[in-house]
């Protein structure tokens, strides 16, 4: 299966700061998703992004499939952004392997 | 509401017991996936079903089994439970076999 590495593993921000989370993967993929797991445990899909750049409010994501990485940008962070961010790159027929996640804590 | 329904939300049971977790996929989705999330193991892929048939298998223990029924809902059966089986169990669904995945809110299993 695809190997996934996310960095940094932990991040502490002051409210209002910006951040970039990275996801490296070991194989070519058909698609990639970013998820946010909130402090209550819910996994929320943020982006489907096999390539290119997408934006949704204060969040945006970029995947460079040829170089096997994806970035998640969080601008003007808020306390509600706290939680764990996972990326899930996948291709047809492979096992579905999540990264270990980046745990983000936004302080007021 | 993601459209993927998992029941029960919480479950407390004793070691050695057997439990069944249920998942109803989003309307129109044919694939169901089960994941286990424990504190020290992260999100582990257990098994995938597509339209009633097993499609892919991950790190699923022999004490665990799953199936997908004709109405596409799925059940994950966990037997001879051990303390280490305490975890959050997620179900996800997708239209086909290559994503995108939508997750349910999970079942938190506590084995005492």
């Amino acid at each position: 299966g695809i190997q996934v590495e996310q960095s940094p593993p932990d991040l502490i921000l002051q409210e209002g700061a910006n951040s970039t989370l990275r996801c490296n993967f070991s194989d070519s993929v058909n698609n990639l998703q970013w998820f946010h797991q909130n402090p209550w445990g819910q996994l929320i899909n943020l982006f489907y992004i096999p390539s290119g750049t997408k934006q949704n409010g204060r969040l945006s994501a970029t995947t460079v499939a040829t170089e096997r990485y994806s970035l998640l940008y969080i601008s003007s962070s808020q306390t509600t952004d706290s939680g764990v961010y996972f990326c899930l790159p996948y291709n047809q027929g492979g096992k579905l392997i999540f990264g270990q996640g980046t745990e983000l804590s936004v302080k007021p | 509401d993601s459209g993927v329904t998992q029941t029960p939300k919480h479950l407390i049971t004793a070691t050695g017991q057997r439990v069944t977790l249920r998942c109803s996929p989003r309307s129109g989705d044919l694939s169901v996936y089960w994941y286990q999330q424990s504190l020290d193991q992260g999100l582990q892929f257990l098994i995938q079903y597509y339209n009633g048939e097993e499609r892919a298998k991950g790190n699923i223990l022999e004490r665990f089994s799953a199936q997908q029924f004709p109405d596409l809902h799925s059940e994950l059966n966990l037997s001879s439970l051990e303390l280490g089986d305490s975890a959050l169990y997620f179900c996800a669904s997708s239209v086909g076999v290559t994503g995108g995945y939508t997750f349910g809110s999970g079942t938190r299993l506590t084995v005492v």
Side-chain angles (χ1 to χ4, degrees):
Chain A
I2 300 171
Q3 303 301 310
V4 184
E5 184 180 320
Q6 289 188 244
S7 60
D10 303 282
L11 188 57
I12 300 174
L13 297 176
Q14 206 64 37
E15 200 168 26
N18 303 329
S19 62
T20 301
L21 282 55
R22 187 177 179 102
C23 171
N24 292 332
F25 44 94
S26 62
D27 204 352
S28 58
V29 298
N30 297 115
N31 210 336
L32 183 144
Q33 284 180 254
W34 281 97
F35 294 89
H36 174 220
Q37 187 169 33
N38 63 26
W40 295 271
Q42 290 181 302
L43 274 166
I44 311 297
N45 177 62
L46 298 175
F47 293 102
Y48 301 96
I49 183 161
S51 63
T53 297
K54 289 187 178 180
Q55 180 149 11
N56 185 2
R58 296 179 297 102
L59 272 59
S60 65
T62 295
T63 296
V64 184
T66 52
E67 296 187 24
R68 299 182 182 169
Y69 73 88
S70 184
L71 302 173
L72 178 69
Y73 305 95
I74 304 174
S75 64
S76 304
S77 58
Q78 301 176 358
T79 55
T80 52
D81 295 330
S82 295
V84 184
Y85 290 81
F86 291 101
C87 74
L88 178 63
Y90 47 88
N91 54 30
Q92 190 165 2
K95 290 184 179 180
L96 303 172
I97 308 295
F98 274 88
Q100 288 300 304
T102 291
E103 184 162 6
L104 174 65
S105 179
V106 181
K107 304 295 186 186
Chain B
D1 182 8
S2 69
V4 179
T5 304
Q6 288 189 248
T7 57
K9 292 194 184 307
H10 302 276
L11 196 50
I12 301 175
T13 190
T15 54
Q17 295 298 305
R18 172 189 167 95
V19 297
T20 297
L21 312 184
R22 182 186 169 103
C23 170
S24 294
R26 205 173 47 161
S27 177
D29 286 356
L30 299 179
S31 283
V32 170
Y33 309 79
W34 286 98
Y35 282 84
Q36 178 193 54
Q37 186 180 35
S38 53
L39 282 175
D40 57 348
Q41 292 291 322
L43 275 158
Q44 299 289 314
F45 169 64
L46 296 179
I47 198 163
Q48 175 201 355
Y49 282 85
Y50 175 75
N51 205 19
E53 297 202 0
E54 184 182 304
R55 175 88 181 187
K57 220 170 195 178
N59 302 319
I60 188 166
L61 299 173
E62 286 190 10
R63 299 184 286 108
F64 296 180
S65 65
Q67 55 183 326
Q68 186 179 28
F69 294 86
D71 67 352
L72 301 177
H73 91 271
S74 178
E75 292 180 357
L76 179 67
N77 300 296
L78 314 176
S79 61
S80 303
L81 285 167
E82 303 174 359
L83 296 177
D85 298 326
S86 296
L88 195 51
Y89 291 83
F90 284 105
C91 165
S93 72
S94 66
V95 172
V97 298
T98 55
Y101 306 103
T102 302
F103 280 78
S105 57
T107 293
R108 189 172 297 278
L109 173 66
T110 303
V111 182
V112 297

